[in-house]
């Protein structure tokens, strides 16, 4: 494993401090679109929280959830607990269990991390539309679906 993932060398200096201009805040409508499009019954990540639970929290206190997600955007920070994943390997049908390529890796991400990604997609598409960057004949990704 050390060959494939050698770690950080002393010469690596991965400090990134972007200059971020003013960011428009997310709205309740952005969250309603995102939470409305979430499908329950999916396997949760390390948080073990299904989308149905987060949808219930959102319905109970929309302002709290809006504040949490706006803080991520204002601070330009994607919390580590949102990006930690659980990875496991499924044996493909009819494959030899003794071979590495007989397995399909599956990565389970925390549900709130997926929500932040979808909210980011809303903001990115809004920015692309605002500056007319995507050509009209190009298919673009909108909140997880190609249109």
């Amino acid at each position: 494993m050390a060959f494939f993932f050698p770690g950080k060398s002393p010469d690596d200096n991965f400090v990134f401090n972007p200059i971020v201009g003013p960011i428009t805040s997310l709205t309740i409508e952005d969250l309603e679109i995102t939470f409305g499009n979430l499908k329950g019954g999916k396997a949760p990540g390390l948080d073990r929280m299904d989308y149905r639970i987060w949808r219930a929290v959102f319905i109970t206190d929309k302002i709290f959830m809006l504040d949490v997600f706006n803080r991520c955007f204002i601070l330009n920070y994607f919390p580590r607990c949102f990006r930690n994943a659980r990875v496991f390997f499924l044996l493909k049908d009819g494959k030899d269990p003794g071979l590495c390529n007989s397995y399909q890796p599956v990565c389970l991400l925390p549900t709130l991390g997926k929500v932040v990604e979808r909210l980011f997609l809303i903001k990115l598409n809004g920015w692309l539309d605002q500056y007319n960057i995507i050509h009209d004949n190009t298919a673009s990704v909108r909140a997880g679906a190609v249109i």
Side-chain angles (χ1 to χ4, degrees):
M1 281 299 228
F3 174 77
F4 293 108
F5 304 101
K8 186 176 176 182
S9 72
D11 298 331
D12 293 337
N13 187 13
F14 296 115
V15 177
F16 179 66
N17 294 317
I19 299 171
V20 179
I23 297 173
T24 58
S25 297
L26 293 166
T27 63
I28 294 288
E29 291 77 26
D30 294 333
L31 268 66
E32 286 174 346
I33 290 168
T34 302
F35 279 98
N37 289 332
L38 297 176
K39 295 183 176 102
K42 301 285 185 178
L46 292 175
D47 58 359
R48 297 183 180 214
M49 304 280 280
D50 188 73
Y51 287 133
R52 293 172 290 192
I53 295 170
W54 290 117
R55 191 177 297 121
V57 171
F58 172 68
I59 291 168
T60 303
D61 195 350
K62 293 181 180 185
I63 301 301
F64 169 75
M65 294 298 281
L66 181 66
D67 188 44
V68 167
F69 295 123
N70 270 326
R71 297 265 179 219
C72 291
F73 284 89
I74 290 167
L75 298 173
N76 195 26
Y77 181 68
F78 192 69
R80 185 176 305 277
C81 61
F82 289 1
R83 52 189 150 123
N84 285 339
R86 180 174 175 220
V87 179
F88 62 95
F89 300 91
L90 294 176
L91 180 63
K92 298 176 187 175
D93 287 337
K95 298 291 184 172
D96 178 13
L99 299 174
C100 290
N101 61 357
S102 296
Y103 293 89
Q104 176 70 40
V106 176
C107 181
L108 297 178
L109 296 166
T111 49
L112 276 185
K114 295 177 191 179
V115 171
V116 172
E117 289 173 0
R118 290 180 176 152
L119 291 168
F120 177 79
L121 185 61
I122 288 173
K123 299 296 274 181
L124 176 64
N125 283 324
W127 183 81
L128 293 172
D129 289 342
Q130 177 183 355
Y131 293 100
N132 199 26
I133 292 176
I134 297 180
H135 191 274
D136 292 336
N137 293 335
T138 302
S140 64
V141 178
R142 303 265 185 223
V146 176
I147 48 176

